[in-house]
Amino acid sequence: MESPSASFDGAATEGMTEAHSRLLLETLVACTPVGLAVVDLEQRFVQVNEALADMNGIPRAAHLGRKVQDLLPEMWTLLRPQYQHIMDGGEAKTFELSGTTPRAAGVERHFLTSYYPMRTPSGVLLGIGIIVVEVTEQRRAHEALQASEQRYRSLVEAMAQPVWTTNGRGEVVEPAPRWLAFTGQTHEEHLGLGWLSAIHPEDRKRVVRGWVESLRTRTSYRGEFRLKFHAGGYRNVVGRAVPVFGDKGDIREWVSTAEDVTERKKAEAQVETERARLHSVLMSAPASIAILSGREQTFTLVNPLYQRLAKGMDLTGKQLRPHVSPDDVYSGLVSRAFTTGEAQTQKEVSLATDVQATGTGTFRRFDIVYQPLRDVHGQVDSVLSFAIDVTERVEAREKLEQWAASLKNQQQWLEAVLDRTPVALLLMEPHSGRTLFANQAARQMAGGEFPEGLRAERYAGTYLFTDEQGRPLSNEEIPGVRAARGEPVHGAPVVWHTPTGRYSLLIEAAPLPAQHGHPATVLLAHQDVSELRATQAQLQHAVSLRDEFLTVASHELKTPLTPLQLKLQSLLRDAQTASSLEGLQERVVRTAESVTGQIRKMTTLINDLLEVTQLTGPSAPLQLEPVDLASVVRDVVERFKPQAAKAGCEMVIQAPDGVVGRWDRHRLEQVTSSLLSNALKYGAGKPVTLTVERVRGMARLSVKDEGIGIAPASLQAIFEKFTRAVSTRHYGGLGLGLFITRQIVEAHHGTLRAESQPGQGATFIVELPVSAP
């Protein structure tokens, strides 16, 4: 099979780049008239060229990702066994099928189809390769040719009644109905030599010369010419004339026939065109192709790339088998394909070749298919050797495997990082909500592992979620369910109740698209704000106490100012209206005493505020010295006698000498004064007992009253800043005394506590280390 278009100019491709070669390969696959496709294991199109898309009458893009049975339902019953053959481990198979496609609905078409498995080097089936050649016209031409031959045989068998006859001189003298029906001539027009006028003018002289020569030599005539057709135009016919001799050896008549070979010539021309086109494709294909015929394996076709593999040798017409050893792998596979009729394959064979035609050979990898070719009787008469250079694919696969290993290491590293992240993280499947990954923080928060396979609709029945007010959330309100359904979740507050505790959380959710072979997921971040919520509550409480303190402080500071102003106004009036100096002097003395008391009260309030500022700032050093605690108590009691008398309280002292430690005397006087002042305020009218003793190596001071007492819930709170256990309307003060007292005691490494029941008085107990703090 030779074709001028199949010539190969090595010099023209000497500088061809690898990218150019790849482009030529892609262009060849895209433009080849042979249909090519690849389907995966579910019979979905992965690749398809334009030729096959055109055969099916469906755009190429519409094939990709769709199943064969969906695109070609009318032919699926014929195609399914072939796919199943490959899926069951069968090798490549070629067969002819007939059916209809969307390109021409209802019109039966014929295809020559090959199916072959696409496997990994380890033999794992990846998909199915398909090669399709439409042979509808060839089949029709073949059928037309058979019909034409049948008509010819019938005509020969009916020669008892001639198609038309002429006399010995070649003149028509009797009617020829078949000639008249074919050409449309009238009886008069075809008589004599008029029948020659039905032949095409360009062929007539040639026919006449041949006819005259047959008349002269008295031999049969055979010629091909164009004959007028009754429906218009001309038809190609093969004319035959056989002389009929008389008894004396003279020609009595000529019996002639005209066989219409128009369709056969068209079919032959089409076949020749397809043969030339296929030859051109094979010669210019970006693959090493050779056809070896017969058992001696004679090369009948060798394309340029195959010739390069043969180091430039022209192998056409040469026999392979006599020149190789019996154990030659290549010859052995060709022989096996020839004898078994089944395709043989080799994967990633390493061969030395000069692909770039530079004169220096390099090793390349090839996938080789040995495809048996059959004659018209179905017998294998030759083998097609088809080798594709897969070097780049192998290198790309190896590089991809390296990348995959690297990505796997990176994934493991990332999962380890995520697992150790202190923020609780979850990865869950979209729509279903199934947990795919939970890091260590999330598992610890949940009290163990997350239930596997738990879907979003069952969250509310498994987990307990509430809002910040304690109301249980419905399944649709749970942030994880919302995220699984594709809703945006940003800073959603929720309280999660688990076996390990109660967690106030802010939920963030973001979808992660599918990539690197991993499906799409939803990332949930659970930010634990439990401590933040507690701090907020404390701050709110502190703000509330501050506001209450400002109100009380304002009231307490105004309380001494109001009587002070009234006393001064009264003194001013007395001074303006006094009749004698002695009376005015007496009123001035009483007013001054009252004013002094109010100023002293105001000074105490201000000193308490300053004391709080000092105690909450950098601690001032204690002035330590040997101090007898009983002495401190007696001095304080002595100063409080006027106040005790005014409150109607008897002060009972039980303080033996000898309880001595290294303490700050001034600070201990503050402690005793504060406790005694509280006892007189809340226990007015009843005795107050002060006790000093040594207990378990500690100095203990107890101040007990028999007043209103303290509720158990307030026994700890009363020692905080601005905290009061009673209403400010009935008892004054800033709520700082016990706070200051506790700070002083703790500065001495001691403790302060209260014991009380409502209505039964209260006892404040101070314990101090006897050794130096």
Side-chain angles (χ1 to χ4, degrees):
M1 296 166 54
E2 297 294 333
S3 171
S5 64
S7 61
F8 182 79
D9 186 0
T13 59
E14 183 174 356
M16 187 179 296
T17 65
E18 182 178 346
H20 193 184
S21 298
R22 187 180 297 110
L23 176 61
L24 289 177
L25 174 59
E26 293 173 352
T27 303
L28 172 66
V29 172
C31 299
T32 181
V34 177
L36 302 176
V38 177
V39 299
D40 62 17
L41 299 183
E42 295 182 4
Q43 288 85 54
R44 291 182 301 213
F45 282 100
V46 178
Q47 288 290 344
V48 62
N49 70 349
E50 291 294 340
L52 184 56
D54 185 61
M55 290 181 195
N56 291 337
I58 300 172
R60 177 177 174 273
H63 282 72
L64 301 180
R66 298 184 63 187
K67 292 187 175 182
V68 177
Q69 64 190 75
D70 296 333
L71 293 177
L72 304 171
E74 295 84 0
M75 300 183 69
W76 179 241
T77 54
L78 298 174
L79 298 176
R80 182 177 181 180
Q82 313 310 322
Y83 286 101
Q84 192 62 46
H85 169 74
I86 302 299
M87 295 287 289
D88 291 341
E91 295 299 327
K93 186 176 181 181
T94 302
F95 70 103
E96 184 175 341
L97 61 86
S98 301
T100 61
T101 70
R103 178 180 176 178
V107 177
E108 185 177 54
R109 298 162 67 195
H110 306 276
F111 303 92
L112 187 62
T113 310
S114 295
Y115 293 85
Y116 57 92
M118 302 183 68
R119 302 180 185 275
T120 64
S122 60
V124 177
L125 183 64
L126 297 178
I128 302 172
I130 307 168
I131 303 175
V132 182
V133 179
E134 182 170 2
V135 294
T136 303
E137 294 300 325
Q138 292 90 325
R139 180 69 176 272
R140 291 174 181 171
H142 178 68
E143 293 173 352
L145 182 59
Q146 288 181 328
S148 178
E149 292 176 348
Q150 182 63 37
R151 285 196 301 271
Y152 177 74
R153 286 192 294 270
S154 299
L155 179 61
V156 172
E157 293 171 357
M159 276 299 181
Q161 295 180 355
V163 175
W164 81 86
T165 60
T166 65
N167 59 19
R169 297 187 300 273
E171 298 171 337
V172 174
V173 294
E174 295 179 0
R178 298 193 181 192
W179 174 275
L180 298 177
F182 186 90
T183 62
Q185 284 185 310
T186 64
H187 176 67
E188 290 76 13
E189 287 175 337
H190 88 299
L191 291 176
L193 296 177
W195 62 274
L196 292 172
S197 63
I199 298 174
H200 194 282
E202 295 178 359
D203 300 337
R204 192 174 302 154
K205 290 182 180 180
R206 174 172 51 80
V207 173
V208 169
R209 284 195 300 269
W211 179 235
V212 171
E213 181 66 17
S214 292
L215 291 175
R216 186 184 68 83
T217 60
R218 298 157 55 92
T219 58
S220 298
Y221 169 82
R222 185 185 185 283
E224 185 176 332
F225 52 87
R226 286 168 286 180
L227 185 63
K228 183 179 180 182
F229 190 56
H230 68 87
Y234 290 84
R235 303 283 289 182
N236 292 306
V237 299
V238 174
R240 294 181 179 87
V242 180
V244 179
F245 295 94
D247 295 337
K248 298 180 179 180
D250 58 335
I251 296 177
R252 189 180 66 191
E253 64 180 357
W254 293 80
V255 178
S256 304
T257 63
E259 178 187 357
D260 188 349
V261 294
T262 304
E263 298 301 329
R264 187 179 69 186
K265 286 183 67 66
K266 289 181 179 179
E268 290 173 350
Q270 179 68 23
V271 170
E272 185 60 31
T273 300
E274 292 296 333
R275 182 182 291 113
R277 183 180 300 169
L278 179 59
H279 182 270
S280 177
V281 169
L282 294 177
M283 294 300 289
S284 58
S288 301
I289 299 175
I291 296 178
L292 299 94
S293 301
R295 294 186 179 276
E296 295 302 320
Q297 301 174 0
T298 302
F299 287 96
T300 57
L301 181 142
V302 176
N303 79 343
L305 287 182
Y306 192 97
Q307 191 169 350
R308 287 187 194 172
L309 285 178
K311 300 180 180 179
M313 294 176 58
D314 185 5
L315 299 175
T316 306
K318 293 184 171 64
Q319 295 180 348
L320 173 65
R321 194 166 188 179
H323 302 290
V324 296
S325 62
D327 58 349
D328 182 78
V329 175
Y330 184 84
S331 178
L333 289 172
V334 171
S335 179
R336 186 181 302 172
F338 189 91
T339 55
T340 65
E342 296 180 354
Q344 309 295 314
T345 59
Q346 284 180 292
K347 296 293 185 180
E348 300 177 9
V349 180
S350 181
L351 298 175
T353 179
D354 187 8
V355 177
Q356 302 298 332
T358 60
T360 59
T362 57
F363 280 93
R364 308 282 295 178
R365 301 286 189 87
F366 291 86
D367 281 354
I368 307 176
V369 177
Y370 305 87
Q371 181 65 44
L373 303 178
R374 301 177 185 273
D375 58 19
V376 293
H377 303 293
Q379 301 299 316
V380 176
D381 63 356
S382 57
V383 174
L384 172 69
S385 170
F386 189 93
I388 291 290
D389 189 338
V390 294
T391 306
E392 285 76 13
R393 187 185 72 188
V394 172
E395 292 174 350
R397 186 193 67 216
E398 292 173 349
K399 185 174 292 185
L400 185 62
E401 290 172 351
Q402 293 175 359
W403 288 348
S406 176
L407 283 175
K408 184 176 181 180
N409 292 336
Q410 293 180 14
Q411 178 184 351
Q412 292 174 348
W413 176 83
L414 180 59
E415 288 179 353
V417 170
L418 292 177
D419 195 51
R420 288 164 177 77
T421 300
V423 177
L425 298 176
L426 293 177
L427 291 177
M428 70 180 186
E429 187 177 66
H431 308 299
S432 70
R434 292 190 305 109
T435 300
L436 304 175
F437 169 79
N439 70 348
Q440 200 172 63
R443 295 194 301 270
Q444 290 176 352
M445 189 179 293
E449 296 296 328
F450 281 80
E452 294 183 1
L454 183 65
R455 302 181 67 87
E457 53 266 23
R458 295 178 52 201
Y459 278 11
T462 306
Y463 305 121
L464 176 58
F465 293 100
T466 67
D467 59 17
E468 294 182 330
Q469 287 70 44
R471 179 184 64 84
L473 299 182
S474 65
N475 206 66
E476 288 69 21
E477 295 175 307
I478 297 175
V481 176
R482 293 166 50 197
R485 294 175 179 173
E487 296 182 26
V489 178
H490 178 66
V494 66
V495 179
W496 188 15
H497 302 264
T498 75
T500 61
R502 175 183 180 275
Y503 298 94
S504 293
L505 305 174
L506 292 179
I507 308 297
E508 295 281 346
L512 301 179
Q515 56 184 341
H516 304 309
H518 295 280
T521 56
V522 177
L523 172 65
L524 266 75
H526 296 64
Q527 184 179 0
D528 187 358
V529 293
S530 302
E531 294 184 2
L532 179 61
R533 291 287 188 258
T535 302
Q536 288 177 337
Q538 292 174 357
L539 290 175
Q540 291 174 350
H541 180 63
V543 169
S544 175
L545 292 177
R546 181 203 64 187
D547 293 342
E548 182 180 354
F549 162 73
L550 291 176
T551 302
V552 173
S554 174
H555 173 74
E556 291 295 325
L557 290 173
K558 285 181 180 180
T559 299
L561 288 176
T562 301
L564 179 60
Q565 184 177 9
L566 292 174
K567 289 292 184 180
L568 291 176
Q569 290 175 350
S570 176
L571 182 61
L572 179 60
R573 288 195 301 271
D574 289 345
Q576 292 173 346
T577 60
S579 57
S580 64
L581 187 59
E582 293 78 3
L584 179 59
Q585 182 178 7
E586 183 180 349
R587 284 193 294 276
V588 168
V589 171
R590 288 197 307 271
T591 301
E593 289 177 352
S594 176
V595 167
T596 299
Q598 297 298 335
I599 290 175
R600 185 167 53 251
K601 184 176 181 180
M602 220 174 150
T603 301
T604 300
L605 293 174
I606 294 173
N607 287 339
D608 284 347
L609 291 175
L610 292 175
E611 190 74 25
V612 169
T613 302
Q614 293 174 357
L615 290 173
T616 54
S619 300
L622 298 174
Q623 302 296 323
L624 300 179
E625 57 180 330
V627 176
D628 188 329
L629 187 56
S631 172
V632 172
V633 170
R634 284 193 290 269
D635 289 346
V636 172
V637 169
E638 185 64 28
R639 290 200 304 271
F640 270 79
K641 284 183 177 180
Q643 188 174 342
K646 185 176 180 180
C649 294
E650 177 186 0
M651 293 186 291
V652 179
I653 302 175
Q654 299 175 354
D657 294 332
V659 181
V660 178
R662 287 186 58 80
W663 302 311
D664 187 324
R665 184 180 183 89
H666 172 69
R667 292 296 188 183
L668 291 186
E669 288 179 353
Q670 282 185 272
V671 171
T672 307
S673 298
S674 175
L675 297 178
L676 182 55
S677 176
N678 271 356
L680 296 175
K681 181 191 295 187
Y682 297 112
K686 296 181 180 178
V688 174
T689 304
L690 295 88
T691 304
V692 175
E693 56 187 331
R694 187 188 296 270
V695 179
R696 295 186 298 277
M698 301 286 287
R700 175 182 289 180
L701 167 63
S702 303
V703 179
K704 181 178 182 305
D705 66 69
E706 299 178 9
I708 61 175
I710 305 169
S714 301
L715 286 176
Q716 294 298 325
I718 58 175
F719 296 106
E720 300 296 330
K721 273 191 297 187
F722 313 129
T723 303
R724 306 163 59 86
V726 294
S727 172
T728 57
R729 297 180 56 186
H730 299 91
Y731 297 92
L734 299 177
L736 294 174
L738 290 177
F739 170 76
I740 295 171
T741 300
R742 188 188 65 177
Q743 295 295 315
I744 294 173
V745 171
E746 290 179 352
H748 283 82
H749 292 226
T751 60
L752 171 62
R753 69 178 187 275
E755 297 176 353
S756 178
Q757 289 291 333
Q760 299 181 13
T763 302
F764 287 85
I765 302 170
V766 176
E767 290 187 346
L768 299 171
V770 175
S771 60

